[in-house]
């Protein structure tokens, strides 16, 4: 009877373990794992160092490769560095997780810090999949994903290509680039440039504290802001746009007449706006330290002052507000 009870107890304990695989001790330079999934699942990668690359394929698996190299040092250094990094894989139904953390190595008072690893994580997922990615010290690159994407890095660049789903991208020390994305786009960097190209989604937002912003061929609502750079917008075909910089110039080209209001402001540079000749807009142009010039006919409204021009272009329409505290404003015909 005791043996039967013990067997039942062991069986119950084993069946209580969730269907997951986990491993945390790897001494290989290259680790590979494959998990069977269905489209529409979730990928979660969290690492304290290294680059993350996610690509897609027509498949029902998630294939993960973790490549680790030593920047400098010998074989013994490599072995120690590999052992210090804990890599854990797990699967919970249609969710795949990878966590990589590196333990701090102890060293004597007069010894140098141990050499660190160069880590690259590459993941192949089904085309329709969601991804949440975080690294403390590398770049994040994602392409051709059909799903929600949240990518964050403390010290690298972000590059997104052909993402068909909402995108959140945040970096504290790098550039952010988004190419041919087609859903809500939110990009933020504290120390780099922002590039948005061939965007066809409903709304794109970009915010940087220390770089330039370049937007080319945007068809959605646009809101961009920088505290220390220039803003260049070309071929804008969206319904409305907002752009603000505290320390640079603004150059904007409207591919067609917007259906909503547009507002462009700078505290320390010039504003140049190029419009189609038949665009019907209501102009509000104000500069406190320069002049306003236009090659488009403007029907003036009210009494004008130096550096101030308000009026209707082609009978008027949505508002086009241009404001600078320290530069000139120029309105040109495309």
């Amino acid at each position: 009877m005791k043996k039967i009870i013990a067997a039942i107890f062991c069986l119950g304990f084993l069946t209580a373990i969730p269907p997951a695989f986990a491993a945390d001790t790897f001494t290989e330079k290259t680790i590979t794992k494959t998990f069977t999934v269905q489209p529409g699942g979730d990928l979660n990668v969290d690492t304290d160092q290294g680059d993350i690359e996610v690509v897609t394929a027509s498949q029902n698996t998630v294939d993960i490769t973790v490549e680790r190299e030593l920047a400098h040092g010998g074989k013994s250094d490599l072995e120690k560095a590999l052992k210090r990094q804990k890599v854990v894989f797990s699967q919970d139904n249609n969710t795949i997780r990878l966590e990589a953390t590196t333990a701090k190595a102890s060293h004597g008072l007069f010894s140098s810090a141990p050499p660190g690893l160069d880590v690259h994580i590459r993941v192949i997922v089904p085309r329709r999949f969601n991804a949440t990615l975080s690294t403390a010290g590398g770049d994040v690159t994602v392409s051709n994903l059909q799903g929600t994407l949240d990518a964050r890095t403390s010290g690298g660049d972000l590059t997104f290509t052909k993402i068909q789903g909402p995108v959140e991208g945040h970096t504290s020390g790098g550039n952010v680039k988004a190419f041919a994305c087609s859903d809500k786009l939110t990009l933020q960097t504290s120390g780099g440039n922002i590039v948005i190209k061939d965007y066809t989604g409903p709304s794109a937002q970009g915010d940087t504290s220390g770089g330039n912003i370049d937007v080319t061929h945007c068809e959605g609502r646009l809101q961009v802001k920088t505290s220390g750079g220039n803003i260049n917008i070309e071929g804008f075909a969206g319904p409305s746009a907002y752009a603000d910089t505290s320390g640079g110039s603004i150059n904007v080209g409207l591919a067609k007449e917007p259906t909503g209001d547009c507002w462009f402001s700078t505290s320390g540079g010039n504003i140049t706006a190029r419009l189609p000749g038949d665009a019907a807009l209501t102009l509000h142009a104000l500069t406190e330290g320069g002049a306003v010039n236009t090659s488009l006919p403007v029907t003036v409204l009210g009494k004008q002052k130096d550096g101030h021009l308000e009026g209707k272009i082609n009978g008027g329409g949505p508002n086009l507000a241009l404001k600078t505290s320290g530069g000139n404003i120029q309105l040109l015909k495309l």
Side-chain angles (χ1 to χ4, degrees):
M1 177 61 71
K2 291 182 178 179
K3 291 182 179 180
I4 295 174
I5 293 173
I8 294 173
F9 175 80
C10 291
L11 180 61
F13 177 77
L14 290 173
T15 56
I17 298 175
F21 168 82
D24 57 16
T25 303
F26 294 96
T27 57
E28 309 96 323
K29 292 172 59 177
T30 301
I31 309 168
T32 59
K33 293 294 177 184
T34 296
F35 300 91
T36 300
V37 296
Q38 294 298 319
D42 296 279
L43 171 69
N44 291 273
V45 178
D46 189 356
T47 177
D48 60 2
Q49 61 177 321
D51 301 330
I52 302 173
E53 179 187 6
V54 177
V55 298
T56 66
S58 299
Q59 60 185 41
N60 288 332
T61 61
V62 170
D63 304 322
I64 304 176
T65 302
V66 181
E67 297 178 336
R68 304 181 292 175
E69 295 285 349
L70 199 62
H72 56 86
K75 183 178 179 180
S76 61
D77 293 321
L78 174 61
E79 292 175 352
K80 293 177 182 178
L82 293 175
K83 289 180 180 179
R84 284 200 308 272
Q85 187 180 54
K86 181 179 179 181
V87 181
V88 179
F89 301 89
S90 66
Q91 179 173 11
D92 185 2
N93 295 321
N94 218 27
T95 299
I96 305 300
R97 293 184 176 88
L98 165 60
E99 182 177 0
T101 55
T102 303
K104 293 182 178 179
S106 60
H107 48 281
L109 180 63
F110 300 103
S111 63
S112 60
L117 288 171
D118 289 332
V119 181
H120 182 81
I121 299 171
R122 189 174 192 271
V123 188
I124 306 175
V125 300
R127 296 194 189 282
R128 188 165 62 85
F129 224 70
N130 305 307
T132 301
L133 314 172
S134 177
T135 176
D139 301 333
V140 179
T141 304
V142 185
S143 58
N144 296 301
L145 190 72
Q146 299 176 9
T148 300
L149 173 61
D150 188 322
R152 300 169 188 270
T153 175
S154 298
D157 297 336
L158 301 174
T159 304
F160 311 127
T161 304
K162 296 182 179 179
I163 308 300
Q164 299 179 35
V167 175
E168 289 264 358
H170 300 268
T171 173
S172 299
N175 301 318
V176 185
K177 298 178 181 179
F179 304 107
C181 295
S182 56
D183 208 319
K184 185 178 180 182
L185 191 64
T186 305
L187 310 176
Q188 190 273 330
T189 174
S190 299
N193 302 320
I194 294 177
V195 175
I196 300 172
K197 187 175 181 180
D198 298 331
Y199 176 73
T200 58
S203 63
Q205 180 177 341
D207 192 329
T208 174
S209 299
N212 300 320
I213 298 177
D214 288 285
V215 181
T216 307
H217 300 144
C218 174
E219 296 183 5
R221 292 188 305 275
L222 180 65
Q223 181 174 336
V224 291
K225 183 177 181 180
T226 174
S227 299
N230 300 318
I231 298 177
N232 184 61
I233 302 171
E234 296 289 348
F236 180 74
S240 61
Y242 166 95
D244 180 81
T245 174
S246 299
S249 297
I250 297 177
N251 180 57
V252 58
L254 303 181
K256 66 177 185 179
E257 176 186 318
T259 58
D261 296 340
C262 293
W263 192 85
F264 304 99
S265 175
T266 175
S267 298
N270 301 319
I271 299 178
T272 301
R274 299 181 311 283
L275 318 175
D278 58 353
L281 298 166
T282 300
L283 176 66
H284 306 273
L286 173 64
T287 173
E288 298 175 3
V292 179
N293 297 295
T294 176
S295 62
L296 293 167
V298 178
T299 302
V300 175
L301 300 174
K303 185 177 179 181
Q304 303 300 304
K305 301 178 181 179
D306 290 341
H308 188 195
L309 177 61
E310 285 196 276
K312 293 183 178 182
I313 303 172
N314 294 319
N319 293 312
L320 174 63
L322 310 173
K323 182 180 179 180
T324 174
S325 299
N328 299 316
I329 297 176
Q330 189 172 26
L331 224 62
L332 301 174
K333 179 180 177 180
L334 280 176

